[in-house]
C-alpha cells in the first residue's frame, strides 16, 4: 500500500513538473477602429480622407511562456509601427521584458498614419489609444495562458494570392504556420507568416480597412483555427496582393480582400493540418541592438519632419532585432521591407527546420535591398529612394547572421 502511494506521488510530481516545464500560450485582441474616421496612409506621401470602414482594425498579442521566459508577438493593422510607439507599449507592460516584446505591422495601406508623414494627418490622441489597447492585449494574453502543444509547418500557398509587381515570379510563395493547440487538441491560435502587400483597396478609395488581413482572421476563426495573427515577411520590391483581373485591371473591392484573405487562410490551415504535434517545444528569445546608417537624402529630410524623430542631421538609427526559437522553428525580425532575395538568403542561413521572417517588426525603416540592387534598375528607383541607403541590406544581413550564430539553434523535432 505504501509503495503504491509513493508511486502515485511520484507520478503526480512528474506531471506537475511537466506542466511547469511545458509551453504555455495566450492570445488577446483589441479593436482599434478610429472614431471618427481618420485619413489613411499608404506611405511617405499625403494621407487620404476616409469616408467609410470595411472590416475592423485590430491589435493582436500572442504570448508564449515557459519556465519564466515570456515572449509576446504582436501584430497591428497599420502600414508600419515606429520604434517610438513600440517602446511606449513596452514601457506599459511590466509582465514581459521589453526585449521580448516583438511588435509588427501587417502593412495595410488603408489605416491611419502612425509616423506623421507630411500631409499625413497623424492623430496623437488616437495613437495613445492604440498603444494602450496594445498593452492591454499583451497583458491579457500573458494573464490567460494555458498549456499548449504546437504544430509548425511550411508549404507553398497555392492559388492567386500574391505576385511581384516588378517581376511577376520573383517572390517567395512559402507560407509558414505556427498553431497552438489547447485542451483536447483544439486550436487556440494560428500564426500566419507570409510575404504580401495588403493593398487591395489602397489608400485613395476613401476606405479604412485591414485589407485582406481582416478576412484572413475571420476565415481562420470560422474554420476552427482559433484566433489568427498575421506577421508579414520579406515583401519589399514589390510583392503585392494579386488582385489582377482578366481585363488587365485591378479589383480594388473588399470582396477581393475576402477572396485573397480567405484563400490564404485556407492554404495556411491546409499546410499546418498534417504537421506533427510538438508536445515539448522549447522557447528561447534574445534581443540585439541594431544600428543602421541613414544615407538617403529623402529619408533624412523625412526624419526632419517626423514627430519623435532624432531630426534631419541624424547619421544613424537604432532599433531592436530579435531571434526567437520555438519548437523546431526560428524567427528573425526585419525592421522594414526586405526584398525577396534577401529573404531567401536569410532563411537559407537560419538554423531552424522552419525559418520565419517577421518583416516590418520593431520598426519600419523603408525598403531593405542589397548594394547591388540599390539604384540599379529603373524599377528600383522608388525603393532605393525610400530605403535608408545603399548599405542597409549589407549591414542588416551581416548583423542578423552574426546574432543568429550567437544564439542556440532550435532543437530538431527528431531529437526530442
Amino acid at each position: 500500500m505504501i509503495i503504491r502511494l509513493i508511486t502515485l506521488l511520484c507520478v503526480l510530481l512528474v506531471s506537475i513538473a511537466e506542466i511547469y516545464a511545458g509551453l504555455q500560450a495566450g492570445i488577446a485582441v483589441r479593436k482599434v477602429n478610429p472614431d471618427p474616421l481618420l485619413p489613411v496612409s499608404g506611405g511617405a506621401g499625403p494621407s487620404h480622407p476616409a469616408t467609410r470602414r470595411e472590416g475592423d482594425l485590430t491589435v493582436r498579442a500572442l504570448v508564449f511562456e515557459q519556465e519564466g521566459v515570456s515572449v509576446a508577438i504582436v501584430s497591428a493593422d497599420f502600414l508600419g509601427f515606429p520604434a517610438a510607439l513600440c517602446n511606449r507599449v513596452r514601457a506599459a507592460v511590466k509582465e514581459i521584458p521589453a526585449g521580448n516584446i516583438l511588435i509588427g505591422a501587417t502593412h495595410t495601406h488603408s489605416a491611419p498614419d502612425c509616423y506623421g508623414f507630411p500631409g499625413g494627418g497623424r492623430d496623437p490622441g488616437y495613437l495613445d489609444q492604440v498603444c494602450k489597447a496594445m498593452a492591454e492585449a499583451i497583458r491579457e494574453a500573458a494573464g490567460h495562458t494555458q498549456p499548449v502543444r504546437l504544430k509548425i509547418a511550411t508549404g507553398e500557398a497555392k492559388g492567386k494570392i500574391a505576385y511581384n509587381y516588378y517581376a511577376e515570379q520573383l517572390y517567395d510563395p512559402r507560407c509558414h504556420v505556427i498553431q497552438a493547440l489547447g485542451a483536447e487538441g483544439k486550436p487556440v491560435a494560428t500564426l500566419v507568416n507570409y510575404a504580401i502587400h495588403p493593398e487591395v483597396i489602397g489608400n485613395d478609395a476613401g476606405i479604412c480597412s485591414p485589407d485582406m488581413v481582416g478576412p484572413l482572421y475571420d476565415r481562420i476563426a470560422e474554420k476552427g483555427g482559433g484566433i489568427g495573427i498575421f506577421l508579414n515577411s520579406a515583401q519589399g520590391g514589390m510583392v503585392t496582393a494579386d488582385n489582377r483581373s482578366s481585363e488587365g485591371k485591378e479589383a480594388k473591392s473588399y470582396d477581393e480582400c475576402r477572396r485573397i484573405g480567405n484563400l490564404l487562410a485556407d492554404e495556411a490551415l491546409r499546410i499546418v493540418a498534417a504537421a506533427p504535434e510538438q508536445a515539448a517545444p522549447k522557447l528561447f528569445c534574445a534581443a540585439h541592438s541594431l544600428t543602421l546608417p541613414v544615407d538617403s537624402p529623402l529619408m533624412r529630410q523625412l526624419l526632419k519632419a517626423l514627430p519623435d524623430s532624432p531630426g534631419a542631421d541624424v547619421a544613424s538609427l537604432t532599433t531592436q532585432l530579435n531571434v526567437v526559437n520555438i519548437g523546431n522553428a526560428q524567427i528573425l525580425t526585419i525592421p522594414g521591407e526586405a526584398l525577396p532575395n534577401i529573404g531567401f538568403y536569410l532563411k537559407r542561413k537560419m538554423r531552424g527546420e522552419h525559418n520565419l521572417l517577421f518583416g516590418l517588426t520593431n520598426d519600419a525603416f523603408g525598403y531593405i535591398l542589397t548594394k547591388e540592387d540599390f539604384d540599379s534598375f529603373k524599377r528600383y528607383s522608388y525603393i532605393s529612394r525610400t530605403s535608408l541607403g545603399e548599405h542597409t541590406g549589407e549591414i542588416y544581413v551581416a548583423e542578423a547572421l552574426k546574432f543568429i550564430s550567437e544564439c542556440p539553434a532550435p532543437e530538431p523535432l527528431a531529437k526530442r
Side-chain angles (χ1 to χ4, degrees):
M1 184 67 178
I2 294 176
I3 295 175
R4 185 178 296 176
L5 288 173
I6 293 173
T7 302
L8 289 172
L9 180 60
C10 290
V11 170
L12 179 61
L13 290 173
V14 169
S15 298
I16 292 171
E18 287 179 347
I19 290 172
Y20 177 75
L23 186 69
Q24 306 248 339
I27 188 165
V29 180
R30 291 290 187 278
K31 292 180 182 179
V32 289
N33 298 315
D35 185 16
L37 291 173
L38 296 172
V40 296
S41 173
S47 294
H48 294 266
T51 58
R52 62 190 176 94
R53 178 171 56 82
E54 293 280 8
D56 290 312
L57 300 185
T58 64
V59 293
R60 294 164 183 252
L62 174 60
V63 172
F64 292 107
E65 192 276 331
Q66 185 179 65
E67 296 183 296
V69 176
S70 296
V71 179
I73 297 171
V74 183
S75 179
D77 285 321
F78 296 103
L79 184 78
F81 206 73
L85 297 182
C86 292
N87 290 335
R88 194 185 304 178
V89 173
R90 292 178 181 124
V93 177
K94 307 303 181 185
E95 294 83 352
I96 300 174
N100 288 16
I101 299 176
L102 291 62
I103 302 175
T106 64
H107 204 48
T108 176
H109 284 50
S110 303
D113 173 20
C114 292
Y115 283 85
F117 296 128
R122 181 180 188 263
D123 187 312
Y126 170 68
L127 293 178
D128 282 343
Q129 294 173 21
V130 170
C131 290
K132 289 176 182 176
M134 192 177 289
E136 287 175 4
I138 296 171
R139 289 195 295 265
E140 179 182 324
H144 294 83
T145 60
Q146 60 180 290
V148 295
R149 297 187 177 198
L150 295 183
K151 292 174 72 173
I152 303 176
T154 299
E156 181 175 335
K158 298 179 180 179
K160 192 166 172 282
I161 301 174
Y163 78 111
N164 192 320
Y165 179 79
Y166 289 167
E168 185 172 335
Q169 297 299 319
L170 299 187
Y171 76 104
D172 187 349
R174 289 172 294 180
C175 178
H176 307 277
V177 187
I178 299 176
Q179 191 171 73
L181 307 176
E184 301 177 357
K186 183 178 179 180
V188 173
T190 298
L191 183 153
V192 178
N193 179 223
Y194 183 76
I196 190 171
H197 270 70
E199 55 174 331
V200 174
I201 295 173
N203 71 323
D204 57 357
I207 299 173
C208 177
S209 176
D211 207 83
M212 44 73 56
V213 179
L216 168 83
Y217 291 150
D218 293 341
R219 185 71 156 204
I220 287 172
E222 174 192 334
K223 294 291 185 177
I227 297 175
I229 182 168
F230 175 78
L231 277 299
N232 223 313
S233 189
Q235 37 63 269
M238 184 69 69
V239 183
T240 191
D242 192 352
N243 62 337
R244 297 171 294 175
S245 69
S246 57
E247 295 80 21
K249 299 180 180 180
E250 292 182 337
K252 293 192 171 186
S253 66
Y254 199 64
D255 282 342
E256 183 68 0
C257 291
R258 289 191 183 96
R259 183 194 68 78
I260 295 174
N262 288 350
L263 180 54
L264 180 55
D266 289 346
E267 285 298 286
L269 294 175
R270 175 188 64 80
I271 288 165
V272 79
E277 290 188 15
Q278 301 187 29
K282 300 298 182 185
L283 179 66
F284 168 85
C285 181
H288 173 72
S289 183
L290 172 69
T291 300
L292 297 170
V294 182
D295 298 325
S296 163
L298 175 62
M299 294 300 277
R300 286 195 175 198
Q301 185 62 31
L302 191 60
L303 284 171
K304 183 179 181 180
L306 297 186
D308 303 320
S309 126
D313 297 328
V314 66
S316 63
L317 291 172
T318 300
T319 191
Q320 177 173 305
L321 182 68
N322 282 99
V323 168
V324 176
N325 296 339
I326 183 163
N328 61 342
Q330 186 165 75
I331 298 165
L332 173 69
T333 60
I334 304 175
E337 303 179 62
L339 267 63
N341 53 343
I342 291 179
F344 273 109
Y345 180 75
L346 288 170
K347 288 181 182 180
R348 196 164 69 244
K349 297 296 183 180
M350 290 167 69
R351 304 169 73 189
E353 292 179 330
H354 302 279
N355 295 314
L356 289 69
L357 298 173
F358 285 0
L360 297 143
T361 297
N362 298 331
D363 215 321
F365 288 155
Y367 291 95
I368 299 175
L369 59 165
T370 67
K371 61 183 180 181
E372 291 82 6
D373 287 334
F374 182 86
D375 205 17
S376 55
F377 307 111
K378 286 185 178 180
R379 276 289 194 187
Y380 285 176
S381 175
Y382 169 74
I383 61 175
S384 296
R385 292 197 316 271
T386 51
S387 72
L388 293 184
E390 178 174 349
H391 300 289
T392 305
E394 182 180 12
I395 294 170
Y396 164 73
V397 169
E399 285 287 316
L401 294 182
K402 181 176 182 293
F403 184 36
I404 287 171
S405 72
E406 295 168 350
C407 295
E411 186 178 2
L413 190 58
K415 289 190 176 181
R416 290 183 214 161

